[in-house]
Amino acid sequence: MASAGDEDLVASKTDGFKVGEKKTVEEYAKLVDQNDESLNRWKASLGISNSPALPVDPKDTRRCVIHSLALEVPGRSDITIDLSVPGALESLKSKPFFIKEGAKFRMKASFKVQHDVLSGLKYLQVVKRKGIRVSKDEEMLGSYAPNTQEKPVYEKKFAEDEAPSGMMARGHYEAVSKFVDDDDHTHLKFEWSFDIAKDWK
């Protein structure tokens, strides 16, 4: 049986796009051409460097580990959920974020990549109110090499959003989100909720 939001949480596809041939970090590192500045910039954008790799537990087969999610509001302290804490994901739905109507905010994620290059990480989100979908968002986060001692964690800030305002917009909202890559592999899926209120609580 499909869980909540499965039919909505599907990444968009570009006609004619095919995922490229997979390569290991070592194979990417060997793509050296001192005269090809664009190739070297592309490798740098993936985080491929000579810095030693972080130690990885061979029993942990995850390629992307989401450490934390945070709600960032200008002029206010971040509301951060540490996902390494047992029960953190389960509490997201039962303990809603409070957002002031009309406020500008953004989500940000802290994560680690291990074992191999992660290609085309995306964040998908569907928001519903009283069971009716009110928004669907998709954000491309990019491709990343495994973290190194020089770069032990990645942080990605999402596009700024603005909370709806007005009496009709106030109330409780439920959301389903997931992180997925070009291979349609889901790295994390979770349900959460938020309340739009007249003022901060």
Side-chain angles (χ1 to χ4, degrees):
M1 183 177 175
S3 57
D6 277 349
E7 68 282 0
D8 292 320
L9 283 177
V10 177
S12 60
K13 302 290 184 183
T14 301
D15 289 341
F17 172 77
K18 292 183 180 180
V19 177
E21 180 185 353
K22 298 298 179 187
K23 294 183 185 297
T24 64
V25 177
E26 292 76 18
E27 288 173 323
Y28 280 121
K30 288 176 183 175
L31 294 173
V32 178
D33 187 341
Q34 293 181 344
N35 296 319
D36 191 339
E37 189 177 329
S38 62
L39 172 63
N40 296 328
R41 278 201 310 268
W42 176 75
K43 286 169 57 181
S45 74
L46 285 179
I48 295 174
S49 71
N50 294 323
S51 178
L54 288 178
V56 177
D57 181 353
K59 294 180 182 177
D60 184 355
T61 60
R62 294 174 297 173
R63 202 181 329 162
C64 181
V65 182
I66 312 296
H67 288 308
S68 67
L69 295 167
L71 181 72
E72 184 181 80
V73 179
R76 297 181 63 85
S77 299
D78 292 353
I79 302 171
T80 303
I81 305 297
D82 182 353
L83 298 180
S84 65
V85 176
L89 278 180
E90 291 73 18
S91 71
L92 278 173
K93 188 175 182 181
S94 59
K95 297 178 180 177
F97 291 106
F98 282 92
I99 304 173
K100 180 183 177 181
E101 61 178 355
K104 287 180 168 44
F105 66 93
R106 74 170 78 234
M107 298 288 288
K108 63 182 178 181
S110 172
F111 59 97
K112 178 178 72 174
V113 175
Q114 55 190 20
H115 300 299
D116 213 342
V117 171
L118 179 64
S119 178
L121 183 64
K122 303 178 190 72
Y123 175 76
L124 308 177
Q125 174 182 290
V126 169
V127 176
K128 293 184 178 181
R129 187 177 186 197
K130 299 178 180 178
I132 299 172
R133 190 177 87 181
V134 294
S135 70
K136 177 180 179 180
D137 298 295
E138 176 176 338
E139 183 144 356
M140 171 59 79
L141 304 183
S143 298
Y144 300 87
N147 287 94
T148 63
Q149 292 179 18
E150 186 181 84
K151 184 77 173 176
V153 68
Y154 293 114
E155 183 182 87
K156 181 68 176 179
K157 293 187 178 184
F158 301 176
E160 188 177 66
D161 204 350
E162 183 174 336
S165 58
M167 188 173 65
M168 297 298 292
R170 293 175 209 147
H172 186 70
Y173 295 77
E174 295 187 340
V176 183
S177 301
K178 75 175 179 180
F179 291 86
V180 63
D181 63 24
D182 274 346
D183 293 321
D184 288 327
H185 179 79
T186 298
H187 297 281
L188 179 69
K189 180 181 175 185
F190 57 98
E191 296 182 44
W192 57 291
S193 64
F194 61 94
D195 288 346
I196 301 295
K198 193 171 183 178
D199 211 337
W200 295 106
K201 292 189 179 183

